[in-house]
Amino acid sequence: MSTIQGSDIRKVVVACDAGMGSSVMLTSQLQRTLKPYGVTVEHSQVDRVPGDADVVLCHAGLLDRARGNLPDKVVIGFQMFMGDPSFTRLENAVKEGGSLAD
């Protein structure tokens, strides 16, 4: 289990398998949500997440694969591409500086 302080989060990556659908829309939505806090949000294929990512978000179906590729990163899984509680948890950690764990 990896942990990061919300105040240390500067880059979030939304990782997917194919890269052309819902995860791109999620990336755009999170960019708007997290930009006021100085956090950048990028999109990447799950097997090509940049090494400078602080937090990786991916659909629950890809969670084991992402964690296997990124053992030292906080990897958060979600079920729904819109309105999932994981996104609120991330935003709250960034806003409040609290701890975020996978």
Side-chain angles (χ1 to χ4, degrees):
M1 179 185 235
S2 297
T3 303
I4 190 170
Q5 290 301 116
S7 58
D8 293 333
I9 298 172
R10 292 289 162 247
K11 184 174 186 178
V12 174
V13 173
V14 177
C16 71
D17 201 19
M20 298 310 295
S22 301
S23 57
V24 174
M25 290 187 291
L26 171 60
T27 300
S28 178
Q29 185 253 326
L30 288 173
Q31 286 170 334
R32 287 188 301 274
T33 303
L34 298 176
K35 183 178 181 178
Y37 308 107
V39 176
T40 61
V41 182
E42 295 180 3
H43 182 266
S44 174
Q45 183 182 23
V46 72
D47 295 321
R48 296 185 179 184
V49 173
D52 62 344
D54 297 310
V55 175
V56 178
L57 294 171
C58 67
H59 190 270
L62 296 173
L63 193 56
D64 289 340
R65 188 164 144 201
R67 285 186 176 153
N69 290 341
L70 307 159
D72 297 332
K73 302 290 181 184
V74 173
V75 181
I76 306 290
F78 59 87
Q79 293 290 330
M80 302 174 291
F81 282 91
M82 300 305 282
D84 194 277
S86 296
F87 311 142
T88 304
R89 191 166 59 107
L90 170 63
E91 183 180 1
N92 288 341
V94 170
K95 272 197 306 194
E96 300 165 7
S99 182
L100 182 68
D102 55 7

